[in-house]
Amino acid sequence: MTRRAVVTGVGHYLPERVVENAEFEATLETTDEWIRSRSGIERRHFAAEGETTSDLATHAARAALQDAGIVADDIDAIVLATSTADLTFPSAATMVQSALGMTRGFAFDLQAVCAGFVYALTNANALILSGQAERVLVIGAETFSRIMDWTDRGTCVLFGDGAGALVLEAQEGAGTSDDRGILSTDLNSDGRYKDLLFVDGGVSTQTTGQLRMQGNQVFRHAVEKLAGSAHTALDRAGLGADDVDWIVPHQANIRIIQGTAKKMGLSMDKVVVTVQDHGNTSAASIPLALSVGKARGQIKKGDLIVTEAIGGGLAWGAVALRW
Ligand code: UT7
């Protein structure tokens, strides 16, 4: 028998305010047509004034707990992937812990920007496989609207706010790729590319900073690194692209999503796409897409899913899991 970290619940939350591409036409030299054709984004959600990342995360966490049919005190750990925590410290994860009324276990944030959720899944999996936790709430939550330069048309039209969460639970599997749960993971980073996507502020510079991106340079790295990482994860699970039921990619740009699917030899019928409605929500995009994909009836129990993401660092990775 092999211990596996199995998804037993999923949920998401999107702030109420929806901003259509056309809204940017009033303040920027841009068009709905440019944003749609270059990125696939049609709209995104922005958090209300005073609404924080931990608020979004708490809503998503409640939805995932409900879906799993458990309560907060059944959870041993919260791993929250975010680059936009409410405060410098304590972690947004401990704020979620308190908001859920969870009085035991432990909670921490993890920061790997847009790759944050594959990093969080990998770490949560390790906590479960090592026996340190039986049930882990894995959350991706972001308020990227807080770090936009609203005069930079090359970035501010691309990002949105939101949160998604999974409950991972220890279960016994047979040790084969037919098992439910996380089957393999692959993480990478290369700090030589740190200047391609960064926020030009932080605690030790005494500013919050704003997001800066050389979009076309990030794009250049994306497809190859994502397809490579997805293949590595599949290989480690003893599986191939033909076995994949759904790719659930980081939702940054439809052209990156299409390019990665093509490089993997998979049709777009096998890809969960939400970028048109959410924009790029960084670490929240994969759990949001998993939750929406399940609600749409795309993702079903037993499906083989590959998630993959790349972002600031550069940091990238992939996780193969059976739903
Ligand atoms: O999630 C983290 C990872 N991030 C990503 O994966 C993002 C990766 N990059 C991208 O998605 C794309 O590179 C973008 C959507 C950001 C840009 O698309 P692109 O096809 O790479 O365009 P570009 O940056 O090469 O810019 C083409 C032109 C430029 O004008 P010139 O220099 O050719 O005259 C830009 O100034 O488009 C211009 N442009 C815009 N025009 C209208 C840039 N932003 C806009 C805009 N509206 N919003």
Side-chain angles (χ1 to χ4, degrees):
M1 296 297 263
T2 302
R3 197 168 158 93
R4 298 284 194 192
V6 178
V7 177
T8 56
V10 61
H12 72 272
Y13 176 77
L14 289 158
E16 218 172 289
R17 183 170 169 229
V18 178
V19 175
E20 301 286 339
N21 288 347
E23 270 199 44
F24 290 102
E25 294 177 0
T27 52
L28 288 170
E29 213 172 298
T30 191
T31 58
D32 171 43
E33 159 58 21
W34 190 96
I35 301 168
R36 251 174 223 261
S37 62
R38 294 298 181 106
S39 72
I41 298 165
E42 297 172 24
R43 61 194 64 81
R44 73 287 290 139
H45 293 246
F46 285 156
E49 213 180 310
E51 196 174 30
T52 64
T53 292
S54 73
D55 294 333
L56 272 49
T58 302
H59 285 297
R62 287 206 176 102
L65 288 173
Q66 191 178 6
D67 190 46
I70 59 172
V71 296
D73 270 337
D74 294 328
I75 294 290
D76 301 310
I78 299 175
V79 183
L80 198 168
T82 189
S83 303
T84 48
D86 306 20
L87 300 177
T88 301
F89 71 78
S91 65
T94 54
M95 296 181 186
V96 174
Q97 184 185 26
S98 135
L100 293 176
M102 176 180 158
T103 53
R104 52 176 289 277
F106 59 96
F108 64 96
D109 289 356
L110 179 156
Q111 205 264 62
V113 206
C114 296
F117 200 74
V118 293
Y119 274 68
L121 272 182
T122 301
N123 278 275
N125 184 48
L127 288 173
I128 287 177
L129 296 194
S130 63
Q132 292 176 80
E134 293 298 311
R135 292 197 187 100
V136 183
L137 195 51
V138 193
I139 309 172
E142 303 278 17
T143 47
F144 261 50
S145 63
R146 310 301 195 220
I147 49 168
M148 290 297 110
D149 174 352
W150 298 110
T151 65
D152 178 10
R153 67 179 184 170
T155 54
C156 73
V157 301
L158 302 174
F159 292 88
D161 302 337
L166 298 184
V167 174
L168 282 183
E169 189 170 327
Q171 290 184 9
E172 291 301 324
T176 72
S177 59
D178 289 334
D179 288 349
R180 289 187 67 210
I182 293 178
L183 300 173
S184 60
T185 62
D186 178 56
L187 298 184
N188 310 269
S189 65
D190 190 338
R192 286 176 300 172
Y193 300 117
K194 64 183 166 40
D195 296 336
L196 298 187
L197 175 50
F198 64 102
V199 169
D200 60 2
V203 181
S204 51
T205 61
Q206 301 280 292
T207 57
T208 305
Q210 290 172 323
L211 183 143
R212 307 290 171 205
M213 176 167 74
Q214 295 178 43
N216 47 13
Q217 295 298 315
V218 177
F219 198 110
R220 226 169 39 82
H221 287 280
V223 171
E224 200 171 317
K225 287 185 164 55
L226 290 172
S229 187
H231 275 304
T232 301
L234 282 168
D235 214 37
R236 284 181 185 156
L239 295 164
D242 288 350
D243 299 306
V244 173
D245 292 299
W246 293 104
I247 304 179
V248 183
H250 170 47
Q251 310 279 325
N253 185 313
I254 190 68
R255 293 184 294 139
I256 294 175
I257 294 171
Q258 289 163 338
T260 307
K262 192 170 169 202
K263 204 166 176 71
M264 292 180 70
L266 292 170
S267 92
M268 284 299 289
D269 297 347
K270 296 210 161 191
V271 186
V272 176
V273 180
T274 56
V275 69
Q276 69 281 3
D277 296 325
H278 303 163
N280 182 345
T281 57
S282 189
S285 87
I286 287 174
L288 264 165
L290 287 167
S291 182
V292 169
K294 186 193 170 205
R296 281 180 190 157
Q298 293 176 307
I299 296 173
K300 297 190 185 67
K301 196 170 171 179
D303 283 353
L304 181 72
I305 292 171
V306 175
T307 65
E308 29 91 345
I310 186 166
L314 294 175
W316 68 101
V319 172
L321 67 97
R322 196 171 293 286
W323 194 258

